[in-house]
Amino acid sequence: MSKSRALLVITDSPPYPVRHGASVDQWHRYKLLRELGWDLVLASWVPRADAPEVDILRAALSDVFSDLFLFPNWTLRATLRRLALLPWRPPGVSSRALSEAQRAPLIEAARARGVSAILNEGYPGYALARAAAEALDAPVFLRSHNIEHAYLARQSRAARRLAEKMKIRLSAHELRRYETQVHREVSWSFDCSHADLAFWRAHGFTRQSWLPPMFDDESASAPPRIAWDERLYDAAYLGNLTTPNNVEAVRWFVDRVAGPLFAARPNFKLLIAGSNPSPDILRLMETHPEIEFLIDVEDPATVRANARVLINPIFTGSGINVKSVEMLFTDSPIVVSPVGVQGFSPRFREAFIVVEDADDFIAAIHDALEKGPVPDAERAPLRREFGRSAAQRFSDDLYGKIVSFSRRPRQGAGS
């Protein structure tokens, strides 16, 4: 039976602007699916639908999505609904609960476009995905970015302030049970990492496969290249500067690694760059004026190209680290912790210099600066796993699953 290539995409927040790993993954993937002929309808949540910046957001999103439904989740009605559901649902889920009347225009638009499946990003919007699936007689597919309950537990341990720890723990309320329920009910889960895939399979789930982050040709096939001697920085870190694990990583590197590098190399230039820096990061950078600090970089690919060595000293996390994937599209040596490459298969891990402590980080950066850039031929086969060819494989696989799973009854775990 022929099915349309029309997809309802549900995200907990809009995939644009691109400011963190999940939005990087989503934005590039949906740009590529649109280019491959998919008709995409987006449902997502914003704090206030009437805020001035939402018009700018709609203009950017409309380049990729044919229809947009941005639901406010900080209205009085949404807050009351959240409180009513909180005992039984994780906060991220209860804050995105919609009434039947709110869902109706979205369902009607999806039906008019011939939507044949729902792709739900993570867990917060799953109640809407399930309601849409029942109304449209369509399968739900999950894009799983993390083992979320385990990820939040690690973030809580990495948080330095009590209020932050408590906020993260509240976010994890009822999450393990709900996360397991979602995996049990969806037709298929596309997991971002091999480690996550192994976790769910060990718990009896079999309707899973690996889906790597992917990048469009602008960032993948033609990344900027700057001559080694003309690069602005000897080493650079790029990533969000908000989550406790990234804050922990930057603080550790500055406290344990940066000093010896500056001492050994008087002209050493280090860059820390990223989005939405936490108060801890702002204070840290104020006390280290020798480190260049950039906030909300508009062109991260060019910033990465200006670094002789790229670093990812993360020690807490789950899923796959998207910034590690982005680094593969440069010719810079990449020095990372073991967590920076978790979720990758062994052949991908070989492209990184993996070190475990401060002394090894220092030695690896010195060595990488002496050896120079990595030949593109070494990384080209790996890049293809995350580029346009990956998008084509996903498109074909997704369509095949739509045909196979449409009208098939839901099955339980391990089926």
Side-chain angles (χ1 to χ4, degrees):
M1 179 175 61
S2 177
K3 303 294 292 184
S4 72
R5 291 178 183 259
L7 196 63
L8 171 58
V9 174
I10 300 176
T11 66
D12 63 341
S13 60
Y16 187 91
V18 178
R19 289 178 176 164
H20 50 77
S23 61
V24 169
D25 176 36
Q26 293 169 26
W27 184 244
H28 289 291
R29 177 161 24 92
Y30 292 121
K31 282 175 67 178
L32 287 164
L33 285 182
R34 181 63 177 258
E35 291 176 16
L36 291 169
W38 288 81
D39 189 12
L40 305 174
V41 177
L42 175 67
S44 193
W45 284 263
V46 293
R48 292 183 58 86
D50 57 354
E53 59 269 21
V54 172
D55 288 337
I56 300 172
L57 180 62
R58 286 182 181 277
L61 292 170
S62 63
D63 289 339
V64 175
F65 299 95
S66 302
D67 279 323
L68 302 172
F69 292 84
L70 301 179
F71 300 104
N73 63 351
W74 282 109
T75 63
L76 177 60
R77 179 181 295 180
T79 301
L80 292 174
R81 189 179 296 114
R82 178 186 303 117
L83 293 173
L85 292 172
L86 193 55
W88 303 279
R89 293 285 184 268
V93 175
S94 61
S95 66
R96 290 165 178 82
L98 299 174
S99 66
E100 185 175 352
Q102 288 176 299
R103 296 192 302 261
L106 168 64
I107 300 298
E108 191 56 39
R111 184 176 287 116
R113 289 212 171 260
V115 161
S116 56
I118 296 95
L119 182 53
N120 191 68
E121 298 277 348
Y123 308 96
Y126 178 66
L128 174 58
R130 183 166 55 184
E134 292 173 357
L136 300 170
D137 192 22
V140 179
F141 302 117
L142 174 69
R143 171 42 157 176
S144 178
H145 297 273
N146 283 303
I147 305 167
E148 200 69 23
H149 66 272
Y151 171 74
L152 289 178
R154 295 186 185 107
Q155 291 286 22
S156 177
R157 289 194 293 270
R160 294 167 63 90
R161 290 173 294 172
L162 179 61
E164 190 175 22
K165 286 181 180 289
M166 296 306 296
K167 181 180 178 181
I168 295 170
R169 288 175 184 174
L170 178 61
S171 298
H173 170 68
E174 286 289 309
L175 185 56
R176 181 168 189 158
R177 181 190 60 78
Y178 192 80
E179 194 173 4
T180 303
Q181 175 190 341
V182 172
H183 274 273
R184 182 176 296 116
E185 292 184 357
V186 295
S187 293
W188 198 268
S189 174
F190 296 100
D191 285 58
C192 73
S193 87
H194 291 285
D196 290 7
L197 194 63
F199 173 88
W200 290 112
R201 286 180 174 168
H203 284 75
F205 294 86
T206 59
R207 299 192 305 279
Q208 264 97 7
S209 58
W210 178 56
L211 177 65
M214 54 193 68
F215 300 87
D216 59 27
D217 281 351
E218 185 176 349
S219 64
S221 296
R225 289 286 182 266
I226 297 172
W228 185 261
D229 292 339
E230 296 176 6
R231 300 184 189 189
L232 299 176
Y233 312 109
D234 292 298
Y237 170 91
L238 282 82
N240 90 67
L241 298 173
T242 307
T243 56
N245 59 335
N246 284 358
V247 173
E248 176 189 55
V250 171
R251 178 178 291 279
W252 178 86
F253 189 87
V254 170
D255 289 347
R256 301 284 303 279
V257 179
L261 289 171
F262 280 111
R265 296 174 175 267
N267 296 318
F268 185 78
K269 294 181 179 179
L270 172 64
L271 171 69
I272 303 295
S275 61
N276 197 22
S278 72
D280 286 343
I281 289 290
L282 293 174
R283 285 193 293 269
L284 181 68
M285 291 297 100
E286 285 176 1
T287 61
H288 289 277
E290 73 278 13
I291 299 173
E292 185 155 348
F293 181 44
L294 297 178
I295 300 174
D296 294 335
V297 174
E298 292 187 4
D299 185 5
T302 298
V303 173
R304 279 190 291 270
N306 264 298
R308 295 184 181 91
V309 180
L310 292 166
I311 60 170
N312 187 9
I314 192 169
F315 289 96
T316 304
S318 70
I320 198 169
N321 206 267
V322 174
K323 58 180 162 283
S324 291
V325 179
E326 290 178 300
M327 293 176 188
L328 287 174
F329 292 102
T330 74
D331 64 353
S332 302
I334 308 166
V335 183
V336 302
S337 65
V339 174
V341 292
Q342 72 178 7
F344 289 104
S345 64
R347 76 184 188 96
F348 285 99
R349 289 197 291 270
E350 291 174 359
F352 299 86
I353 304 166
V354 183
V355 295
E356 297 196 13
D357 59 31
D359 289 341
D360 288 344
F361 243 102
I362 294 164
I365 291 172
H366 281 310
D367 187 56
L369 288 171
E370 294 302 320
K371 289 183 177 178
V374 176
D376 275 322
E378 290 186 18
R379 290 184 179 167
L382 303 179
R383 292 173 188 151
R384 283 194 287 272
E385 295 293 323
F386 302 98
R388 186 171 294 275
S389 58
Q392 183 64 65
R393 288 192 298 272
F394 174 54
S395 175
D396 295 342
D397 184 32
L398 181 62
Y399 185 74
K401 284 180 170 54
I402 289 172
V403 173
S404 298
F405 283 96
S406 289
R407 307 184 69 82
R408 190 185 276 193
R410 290 197 182 100
Q411 301 173 27
S415 58

